[in-house]
Amino acid sequence: MNGPRLRRLASLARKERRCPFCGWRGWRFEPFGNRVLRRADALCPLCGSLERHRVARLLLRDRLTGGQKVLHMAPEPLMIPWLVSLSCEYLNADLLHPAMRRMDLTATGLPDASRTLIWCSHVLEHIPDDRAALDETFRVLAPGGTLVLQVPVGGEVTLEDPSATTDEARMERFWQEDHMRLYGRDLAERAQDAGFECEVLTASSLPAADQRLYAIAHPAFREVFVCTKPA
């Protein structure tokens, strides 16, 4: 057996990373990202989880109860089994990609107060009028219901630039060609303006050993915004 192969096997045997979804253990996750936000230690080679998925699982698995009426926007296949397990009624939707229903988050067509949990991970940054989307989720949620938001976070203050109209400009300013803005942690204030009570959970609250084990310390992907509609 050649030297590189031996080193690869030895590195896998060290099992310094773990995926909380599929249980994979190994030395490192796989690389993932674009030229602006490339990470060497991000993608589970078995189930495809990324940092944001693992963060949400770890921070919310003991907080979310079953029996939910779930709306899952832009559904990632990885997340569906978990959200279905929390559901008495499950619907996923997307404006552009295959899903159970075609739906615009700014005008869902769903009845008032018809959902108890809306999962919206890495969706809001793609929507030109994010305030309309927040207003719509507030309308659709039942009192006491929860909106889970995840977005790439670039700092404390959200960056918007109407002059960024080309793919190249959006890539440079917002980290991806189809992003409309780069959020800061002040997303919580936008949610509050829409009527929500918002708690910001972060992977940095977990033990440092867990942050290393699950590779969830990257500053762009460690926040989960848990927004509750007042009862």
Side-chain angles (χ1 to χ4, degrees):
M1 189 176 291
N2 60 32
R5 174 70 171 167
L6 283 171
R7 288 193 295 273
R8 174 65 174 168
L9 290 174
S11 72
L12 290 172
R14 289 166 61 182
K15 297 187 185 304
E16 294 181 358
R17 296 289 183 267
R18 179 189 298 164
C19 177
F21 283 92
C22 66
W24 175 86
R25 297 290 302 271
W27 180 53
R28 288 291 185 273
F29 291 110
E30 296 295 322
F32 187 83
N34 57 31
R35 64 178 178 80
V36 174
L37 204 59
R38 184 78 171 171
R39 294 97 68 200
D41 189 16
L43 176 73
C44 176
L46 187 59
C47 73
S49 74
L50 292 168
E51 304 100 324
R52 67 177 184 265
H53 305 124
R54 299 190 293 271
V55 165
R57 180 79 176 207
L58 293 166
L59 292 177
L60 294 175
R61 61 186 174 185
D62 296 327
R63 294 174 62 106
L64 296 178
T65 59
Q68 304 279 355
K69 295 181 178 179
V70 174
L71 172 61
H72 183 189
M73 291 302 301
E76 315 96 314
L78 168 75
M79 300 295 292
I80 292 173
W82 181 33
L83 294 178
V84 167
S85 76
L86 297 172
S87 305
C88 65
E89 183 179 325
Y90 174 84
L91 172 66
N92 66 48
D94 199 294
L95 181 60
L96 300 174
H97 300 103
M100 294 170 67
R101 187 178 299 180
R102 183 181 177 88
M103 186 180 292
D104 182 344
L105 191 57
T106 66
T108 64
L110 295 173
D112 292 354
S114 60
R115 297 285 147 176
T116 63
L117 176 62
I118 298 177
W119 194 276
C120 189
S121 177
H122 285 232
V123 174
L124 212 58
E125 67 272 19
H126 296 271
I127 298 176
D129 191 350
D130 63 335
R131 297 176 191 273
L134 289 169
D135 288 342
E136 178 69 353
T137 56
F138 188 86
R139 181 190 68 79
V140 168
L141 272 175
T146 300
L147 166 66
V148 175
L149 288 175
Q150 288 182 281
V151 295
V153 172
E156 293 300 324
V157 179
T158 297
L159 171 63
E160 295 187 279
D161 183 356
S163 71
T165 57
T166 66
D167 288 353
E168 181 65 21
R170 286 190 290 265
M171 173 70 81
E172 294 300 327
R173 290 167 176 77
F174 309 143
W175 300 350
Q176 194 165 302
E177 296 96 330
D178 55 350
H179 287 183
M180 299 294 105
R181 65 195 63 80
L182 177 59
Y183 283 104
R185 278 173 282 275
D186 61 349
L187 172 57
E189 297 173 14
R190 295 192 181 209
Q192 290 163 359
D193 289 344
F196 290 102
E197 298 170 353
C198 188
E199 180 181 5
V200 184
L201 307 181
T202 176
S204 61
S205 67
L206 298 172
D210 284 352
Q211 294 181 52
R212 290 191 298 273
L213 180 64
Y214 299 110
I216 53 172
H218 195 290
F221 306 108
R222 63 189 177 193
E223 273 81 31
V224 180
F225 298 80
V226 180
C227 309
T228 303
K229 182 172 180 176

